[in-house]
Amino acid sequence: MAKLESLTFDNGFARLREAYYSRVCPTPVPDPYLVCYSPEALALLDLDASEMTRPELIETLAGNQLLPGMDAIAALYAGHQFGQYVSQLGDGRAILLGEVRNAAGEGWEVQLKGAGRTPYSRGGDGRAVLRSSIREFLCSEAMHALGIPTTRALAIVGSDRPVYREDEETAALVTRLAPSFVRFGSFEVFYYRNQIEPLKQLADYVIARYYPELAARAEPYAELLREVARRTAELMAHWQAVGFSHGVMNTDNMSILGLTLDYGPFGFLDAFDPGFICNHSDSGGRYAFDRQPDVAAWNVTKLAQALVPLMSVETASQAISEYPQVFGKAYLERMAAKFGLPACSETATQHPQGAGRGCKDTEVSTTTLVTDALQLLAQNHVDYTIFMRRLCDFDSATEAANSPLRDLFIDRTAFDAWAMRYAATLRQQGSVDAERSRAMRAVNPKYILRNHLAEIAIRRAADDRDYSEVNRLHALLTRPFDEQPEYEAYAAEPPDWARKIEVSCSS
Ligand code: AMP
Ligand code: MG
């Protein structure tokens, strides 16, 4: 583990032409202080945890000084926001400080969110507030622990410099880490300006740095598009399976690496509700929970359109054509694992009617059980995470042993009918309860970042400068699949007051 002074910077993005960004220094804030940090994220930079106590690091994470080797820039991008093309967005409040190359050879871009105005700030103040910074920090690290691709969060620093939203709030900066923050919108901006050369060079840069195996292919740009479409579909399968709603799936928030990017008004499902809209500002429900896979597919078509100058229209549409199958397969696999059911029959080849047939039968049986369960959950307003976790203890032999699960339902008769079919399927497949339970516990989290948990941590931090709850939640959520019985209350359904929490784009 290293000291700040020994960080090695690479700054690949900053070495590109200035067409892609503007050089801009963060605007200092007075008297910054550390709110929280992620030891795991710190380790990605090979930094020793003791470095976190050094004023030089806090000043850097506050945007008050740069370390030797840093090259600060704000990236240019555009994007489709709620379906409409917006020609100039860009990092309005995020500043990329540089890229650290760690001992393992990984490049991690270090970005401050809330570091002051940039040429892309439009009417904004370039700042972030403590409230939204805590949400982004906790959720980034929680998603990583859930095994979901995401940008990471290194730390939050606060400053008493006031920031004005609906009310006066505390300013904060989140340090984010990612191999790259390039978005679909980073390509769209050049397509709509009809600047083909910078478009091509950006694609070359992304391929060389992040998809080097595609460089030697006959159609590297088409392969890039195919791979991004595939990763996006996989990401959607993750989100749908865990019950995560992003809230603002504009193309400027879609990562070229298939990472969860830009945490704003996100939310996890409490009671299962397919039409759940987490963003208070999304009155039309464009980004409702169950629309996410289709919206992401639409976003992928916008990326394809932006890349069409580098290939034929047919090639581009062919490259993204696998999205529905990739999503369908990944989603089925995730849901099957969550329910302890096979996604496809392993004994398919021994099936009397041939390989394909056995697989199809298993798929239909699993899909039907999953779909029917989700419908029951929705009808009975059952908490999704709690149901899935209790299902890990399902007893396939003794019906009465399943009462904790059954008690979650209003319509117990309907639950009983489903449970009978589920038990029969498990028995038929020779599923062993104890083994299945162990496997299911590794894919059904007990702890997720529920809005009310974040809200409690935020209130303590904002009102009392007490960051203990942020730290507790962070530690808890880095082990979401572990029982952690001392934190049982954090796995419970939200209290009644939580219904009043509204999250919107204002952050
Ligand atoms: P978001 O909804 O956070 O993805 O942001 C959309 C666009 O608005 C991006 O270009 C942001 O950089 C910009 N933006 C959001 N908040 C601010 C702010 N407080 N100051 C300047 N730009 C902002
Ligand atoms: Mg954004």
Side-chain angles (χ1 to χ4, degrees), residues 260-278:
T260 309
L261 171 66
D262 276 11
Y263 292 87
F266 66 83
F268 284 86
L269 295 180
D270 292 306
F272 188 80
D273 173 10
F276 173 60
I277 303 166
C278 61

Side-chain angles (χ1 to χ4, degrees), residues 194-214:
N194 204 17
Q195 295 176 335
I196 309 309
E197 204 42 42
L199 178 76
K200 181 173 171 303
Q201 284 175 16
L202 183 63
D204 289 338
Y205 167 78
V206 168
I207 291 171
R209 280 234 150 190
Y210 307 104
Y211 297 94
E213 67 284 2
L214 306 182

Side-chain angles (χ1 to χ4, degrees), residues 77 81 89-91 93 113 176 183 246 248 250 252-254 261-263:
Y77 54 83
Q81 298 196 312
L89 293 165
D91 290 331
R93 55 172 168 168
K113 185 167 175 180
R176 305 199 293 190
R183 302 131 195 276
H246 180 284
V248 200
N250 295 333
D252 51 299
N253 292 337
M254 298 294 292
L261 171 66
D262 276 11
Y263 292 87

Side-chain angles (χ1 to χ4, degrees), residues 359-476:
C359 205
K360 200 83 219 144
D361 288 351
T362 311
E363 208 175 293
V364 169
S365 142
T366 296
T367 304
T368 312
L369 276 168
V370 170
T371 312
D372 292 352
L374 294 183
Q375 202 179 347
L376 274 183
L377 294 183
Q379 284 161 355
N380 288 265
H381 308 288
V382 174
D383 189 278
Y384 179 57
T385 305
I386 295 177
F387 170 81
M388 292 309 311
R389 190 72 181 182
R390 288 195 192 169
L391 192 69
C392 302
D393 295 328
F394 189 84
D395 190 318
S396 60
T398 322
E399 207 184 305
N402 296 319
S403 59
L405 193 60
R406 186 175 191 262
D407 290 349
L408 295 170
F409 292 81
I410 308 162
D411 185 350
R412 307 250 159 107
T413 318
F415 169 77
D416 289 341
W418 181 85
M420 258 176 62
R421 284 165 51 210
Y422 181 56
T425 305
L426 294 174
R427 286 196 302 270
Q428 190 193 338
Q429 288 165 349
S431 181
V432 179
D433 284 0
E435 281 171 20
R436 186 183 65 253
S437 172
R438 209 171 314 119
M440 284 171 72
R441 277 163 192 282
V443 292
N444 287 303
K446 178 169 176 182
Y447 300 102
I448 51 164
L449 181 60
R450 294 177 189 267
N451 262 341
H452 74 280
L453 298 177
E455 190 65 22
I456 294 168
I458 289 166
R459 280 194 204 161
R460 290 221 191 133
D463 298 348
D464 309 328
R465 289 176 177 254
D466 173 358
Y467 310 120
S468 58
E469 190 59 22
V470 177
N471 286 315
R472 195 171 301 124
L473 258 186
H474 170 240
L476 172 77

Side-chain angles (χ1 to χ4, degrees), residues 217-237:
R217 301 282 184 82
E219 293 247 33
Y221 305 121
E223 294 303 327
L224 171 66
L225 182 56
R226 187 187 311 281
E227 183 59 18
V228 177
R230 193 189 63 73
R231 288 198 194 185
T232 305
E234 301 258 2
L235 183 67
M236 291 309 114

